Amino acid sequence: MAAAVHDSSVAEREKNLVALSSVGAAVLLTSMKVVVGLATGSIGILSEAAHSGIDLLAALMTFWAVRASSRPPDSDHLYGHGKIENFSALFETGLLLATCVWIAYEAGKRLILGGGHVEATVWSFVVMGFSTDVWSSTVVILGLLGVLFSHRTGLEWLALADAVAALGVAFIAALVSIRLGRKAVDDLLDAAPTGLLEAIARAASGVDGVVGVSQVRVRRSGPKTFADVILQVARGLPVERAHEIAHAADDAIHDAVLDVDVMVHTEPAESEPGAPAELRA
């Protein structure tokens, strides 16, 4: 028991350290991109600055959510506070989508109305080279290269590459936000992770004395997974033996699926031993 508490404490400290590191990195990157974006007039870099700013806010929210969700269960929250992380992710999704709309609007204005002289300086390439988001950074760098070639060749239409790059950043950020939001909604609606029901049923059904697995229900709360399992055992089995089978199934499930809180129930088999039992999710 003491070892489990120690492991949990270490895991929480590691999560807090990761969250703090993300905050520091986001502050540095956002500041650099804002300064260079304003100096060069690049809507592409400014769009990345906005993206990084949302990442900064998300990192701060994640740091708070990790601490809040790690609080133990209480009389009002019997499954703990893990879903705070899911609500935080859903809020981050809304902010990110709003940022995408702003980026697309500003980039669209430049494409349609023109204006916004852009300078592709050495610093603009340097700051984007330090960015951690490979895909969106690559798009912005390609836009800056278009601006650079425009200045050198006199092809004015290439100067629009910066605004096109900003639209690319908005598109990539929108895809990321949709994925993030979908996962948050799935967890809030207690959607079962893919393959988890089968893994739990397979582990429990392999325990000696289990006639069948009649039901497995799974829900997630933040990083924690909760499972309710109903096993079928032979009719007339002594209560003590049924408890032994339930404990053995609990151990087998923990061995097969790490970090899961399992509640195992037993009931008399509805069919003869060896006959397949229907699994209900």
Side-chain angles (χ1 to χ4, degrees):
M1 182 65 178
V5 172
H6 174 72
D7 290 343
S8 176
S9 177
V10 170
E12 291 302 327
R13 283 199 299 269
E14 289 178 350
K15 288 172 67 176
N16 288 334
L17 181 60
V18 169
L20 282 174
S21 300
S22 298
V23 170
V27 167
L28 179 61
L29 282 174
T30 302
S31 301
M32 292 172 61
K33 290 174 183 177
V34 167
V35 171
V36 175
L38 291 175
T40 61
S42 169
I43 187 65
I45 296 178
L46 289 175
S47 68
E48 264 294 278
H51 189 186
S52 296
I54 295 299
D55 287 343
L56 170 58
L57 182 58
L60 290 170
M61 291 181 62
T62 298
F63 180 69
W64 167 80
V66 166
R67 294 176 65 86
S69 65
S70 64
R71 288 182 297 171
D74 54 38
S75 58
D76 294 324
H77 307 88
L78 301 180
Y79 286 95
H81 300 79
K83 286 192 181 293
I84 289 176
E85 294 187 25
N86 305 131
F87 280 110
S88 173
L90 199 59
F91 184 68
E92 293 165 20
T93 298
L95 288 178
L96 194 52
L97 285 175
T99 302
C100 293
V101 172
W102 173 80
I103 294 172
Y105 173 74
E106 293 296 330
K109 279 202 309 183
R110 286 200 181 184
L111 287 174
I112 297 172
L113 303 178
H117 179 71
V118 180
E119 288 291 337
T121 65
V122 172
W123 282 109
S124 62
F125 288 100
V126 170
V127 73
M128 294 313 303
F130 276 109
S131 184
T132 56
D133 193 324
V134 176
W135 290 108
S136 58
S137 299
T138 301
V139 169
V140 174
I141 289 173
L142 289 175
L144 291 172
L145 287 173
V147 172
L148 186 63
F149 285 129
S150 172
H151 292 165
R152 293 186 176 182
T153 63
L155 299 174
E156 295 184 1
W157 61 271
L158 280 176
L160 297 175
D162 180 66
V164 173
L167 288 177
V169 172
F171 177 74
I172 293 171
L175 289 180
V176 172
S177 64
I178 289 171
R179 273 202 305 268
L180 177 65
R182 183 178 297 166
K183 182 181 184 305
V185 170
D186 283 346
D187 287 344
L188 288 171
L189 295 179
D190 295 331
T194 304
L196 189 56
L197 291 176
E198 293 77 8
I200 291 175
R202 186 164 52 249
S205 62
V207 172
D208 184 37
V210 173
V211 175
V213 180
S214 58
Q215 179 173 285
V216 176
R217 288 181 177 173
V218 178
R219 70 190 299 269
R220 288 188 62 83
S221 181
K224 192 71 176 177
T225 301
F226 297 89
D228 291 319
V229 182
I230 298 180
L231 305 177
Q232 292 187 351
V233 297
R235 289 182 175 277
L237 203 65
V239 174
E240 293 80 4
R241 176 54 183 158
H243 279 300
E244 290 176 1
I245 294 172
H247 285 303
D250 187 298
D251 293 338
I253 293 170
H254 277 106
D255 290 341
V257 183
L258 299 179
D259 196 24
V260 59
D261 189 318
V262 185
M263 180 68 69
V264 180
H265 310 271
T266 60
E267 64 181 12
E270 298 176 358
S271 56
E272 294 297 324
E278 179 185 357
L279 174 60
R280 303 189 302 274

